[in-house]
Amino acid sequence: MPMTFDVENDILVIRAEEKWNLSEMKQTLHAAIKSLGGRRLNGILLDDRNARFTGIHESFSDMARLHNRLSGRIGHKMAVLVSDDLHFGLARMSAAIHSLHGIVVEPFRDKEKAWAWLVGRR
């Protein structure tokens, strides 16, 4: 499976290991929420450094709508870890689309900075 998840300190950590698509992200999010029971999380850390998602506008819009519907369980913030300029730009595009749905997305190249942003430290 190209995506795995874990919960660390009330943050859903999703690791993408290869090329993935929106359907796989939806499956991962639903599996994560099912595993939570009644627990609520404070955000998502998507570690996309080893993956190659090259989504299209419609994929970002669908993902933003899904995240918005699930935000009561997984929070309104998502940090995206990337390893190159192309994926940093894609994450910025995703951030703009997510903002239309009340979700804050920020791309990062450094995991510690992403983590600090998610938990409210700068």
Side-chain angles (χ1 to χ4, degrees), residues 3-80:
M3 303 186 108
T4 59
F5 69 89
D6 231 342
V7 176
E8 298 176 23
N9 301 319
D10 292 327
I11 301 294
L12 175 61
V13 179
I14 298 174
R15 290 176 185 85
E17 296 298 329
E18 56 191 53
K19 190 172 179 153
W20 59 274
N21 60 41
L22 180 61
S23 175
E24 290 158 336
M25 175 61 85
K26 286 180 179 179
Q27 289 174 345
T28 302
L29 285 172
H30 287 297
I33 286 175
K34 186 177 180 181
S35 75
L36 293 175
R39 187 174 175 191
R40 296 179 186 272
L41 302 179
N42 294 323
I44 298 172
L45 175 68
L46 172 59
D47 188 344
D48 205 32
R49 294 175 291 184
N50 296 320
R52 295 295 165 242
F53 178 72
T54 55
I56 55 173
H57 183 275
E58 292 80 16
S59 295
F60 291 137
S61 294
D62 286 347
M63 197 176 315
R65 283 190 294 275
L66 175 64
H67 192 159
N68 183 280
R69 284 193 306 274
L70 301 175
S71 64
R73 301 294 309 279
I74 58 175
H76 290 88
K77 293 172 74 172
M78 180 167 64
V80 181

Side-chain angles (χ1 to χ4, degrees), residues 79-121:
V80 181
L81 282 174
V82 298
S83 60
D84 59 45
D85 291 342
L86 170 65
H87 289 89
F88 192 91
L90 287 169
R92 295 289 297 150
M93 184 172 70
S94 175
I97 294 168
H98 275 74
S99 72
L100 299 172
H101 298 275
I103 304 299
V104 181
V105 174
E106 284 290 328
F108 293 90
R109 289 190 172 98
D110 180 88
K111 186 175 182 178
E112 287 74 28
K113 289 180 182 177
W115 198 265
W117 177 78
L118 278 170
V119 298
R121 297 187 315 263

